[in-house]
Structure formats: structure tokens, C-alpha cells
Amino acid sequence: MTFDRSIKIAPSILSADFANFGQEIQAIEAQGADWVHVDVMDGHFVPNLTFGPALCKAIRPHIKTVMDVHLMISPVDPYIDAYAQAGADVLTAHLEAGPHTHRTLQAIRAAGCKAGLALNPGTPVEAAAPLLGLCDLVCVMTVNPGFGGQSFIHSQVDQVRRLRALIGDRPVHIEIDGGVDPSTAPAVVAAGANVLVAGSAVFRGGSVADPAPYGTNMRAIRDAVA
């Protein structure tokens, strides 16, 4: 997984048909997805419960691009190895999930994954500054984590701009998660983001039987930021 700042669209399978994950993943990749985003929630750190390591391991053979696993869980450290062994390429933990984020990022890299750091809307990006040397990706949440389909928090655009300045020339992706669609993507890309997580905005109107809308939806986001 080599680094470049080109725009990447990472559909969140939280919006996919749960009964057809393998086919859904094949469909979004065939329609132009760059990464596949997996939202892991524990019902504790966030008020929802989703996918464990076994699900990640089951879908891994279907993913030909990048498996981008977002851990909205606390504690994180006891589960890093399990998600790494399940095939995560990128493993993202929340700054707010525990007291020793530096150690968490070290552990993610030691497990063989790219290390991501996620920031909730209430966390200033400056809190990530001491950790950027251990980050391959910083995920700026543009909704409060826990549920798909929420409205984009526009004040986060300035957070992205400040984060981009902090990163400088370091090879660190800026990922946006929450409310991304053709109307919101241009502002975050202009501010410096290059990985766009989109759930309902990608999957809306399509299905395994009719995947063409997935491609149409992703092209609409790409065209909006072109």
C-alpha cells in the first residue's frame, strides 16, 4: 500500500446489504471503490454494535483493494492482533478511546497494519500533533460516531484545514468519515482531505442485482471534487 494523495473513495459496508457482504464488496470494487471501509462498533464506546474480527476475516478474501478497519471500540489494545490477523490493511483507533494512544499506534504498526488515528468532532486536531509521527492516516469524524446516515458537521472543515497544516509533507492520509456526499465532499477536499468514507451516499439506489447506481454515486462524488 504505497502512499499518494490522490482522492480515494472508501464505501462503508455499514450501508451494504448485510446478507450479501461478499457480493456487495465485489460490486463496489467493480464500480470503482478505492478502499473498503469497515465500521467496528462495540455498544460501549459508541451506541451501536456491528462487526467483530470473524466478520472481517470472512470478507477479507472478497476485498481486492484496501481493507480499512475503523475501530470505534474501547479498550482497543486487546483487539488489535485479532483485527490484524483478520486481514486489516489500515487499523484506525480513536484518540478518545483510551489513555495511551501512543502505545496503541505502536501496537497497530507492530501488528503489520497501517496506523490510523480518529478524532471525534469534540476533539481539536491539535491533540493529534504529538502522534503524527506514528500515523499513516488521521480520520476526522464529520458526524458523531455510532450511526450511519447522520448530517455532516460543517465546522469540521476548519479542523481538516488545521490538520493539513500540521501534517505538512509527512505521508499521512486525511480521511473524512460522516455525511460525505457530492455536496459536502468539495469543502473537505479543498481543506486537504484525500480519503472519503461514504455509506448511504454510495449504496443509495443500488443492489447486488443492480450495482450500476454504486458507480454513478461514486462518480458524482469524484466529479464534485474534481
Side-chain angles (χ1 to χ4, degrees):
M1 193 181 144
T2 56
F3 178 82
D4 67 79
R5 292 198 197 281
S6 65
I7 300 303
K8 294 160 187 63
I9 296 182
S12 167
I13 63 168
L14 193 62
S15 296
D17 175 1
F18 282 23
N20 283 301
F21 273 139
Q23 290 175 284
E24 287 277 51
I25 287 162
Q26 291 166 15
I28 55 173
E29 288 190 337
Q31 291 292 328
D34 299 290
W35 293 9
V36 175
H37 189 81
V38 184
D39 287 306
V40 174
M41 308 184 193
D42 64 357
H44 165 69
F45 180 66
V46 292
N48 199 359
L49 196 60
T50 59
F51 315 125
L55 183 280
C56 291
K57 185 177 180 181
I59 64 174
R60 175 71 253 197
H62 300 279
I63 297 174
K64 303 294 183 266
T65 56
V66 171
M67 187 174 182
D68 177 31
V69 179
H70 180 187
L71 299 176
M72 287 171 267
I73 66 175
S74 177
V76 178
D77 294 13
Y79 301 98
I80 289 171
D81 284 345
Y83 282 99
Q85 289 163 14
D89 294 304
V90 182
L91 208 47
T92 297
H94 271 260
L95 179 72
E96 307 85 3
H100 305 296
T101 316
H102 189 281
R103 180 190 297 160
T104 299
L105 293 168
Q106 285 179 315
I108 291 171
R109 284 188 161 183
C113 298
K114 298 292 186 184
L117 179 68
L119 304 171
N120 284 339
T123 301
V125 293
E126 287 74 17
L131 302 166
L132 289 175
L134 280 171
C135 293
D136 299 290
L137 175 149
V138 179
C139 175
V140 177
M141 296 300 299
T142 43
V143 299
N144 285 293
F147 294 98
Q150 297 185 73
S151 296
F152 182 88
I153 299 172
H154 287 274
S155 58
Q156 289 299 89
V157 175
D158 186 54
Q159 290 266 65
V160 176
R161 195 173 292 113
R162 299 205 311 273
L163 176 63
R164 184 69 193 86
L166 285 171
I167 288 172
D169 60 3
R170 281 177 279 217
V172 180
H173 296 288
I174 298 178
E175 180 174 79
I176 303 299
D177 189 353
V180 171
D181 63 25
S183 69
T184 57
V188 290
V189 168
N194 71 296
V195 182
L196 304 175
V197 176
S200 47
V202 168
F203 285 95
R204 185 179 295 118
S207 67
V208 165
D210 178 25
Y214 300 163
T216 302
N217 293 339
M218 284 187 272
R219 282 191 297 277
I221 296 172
R222 286 190 206 280
D223 290 347
V225 302

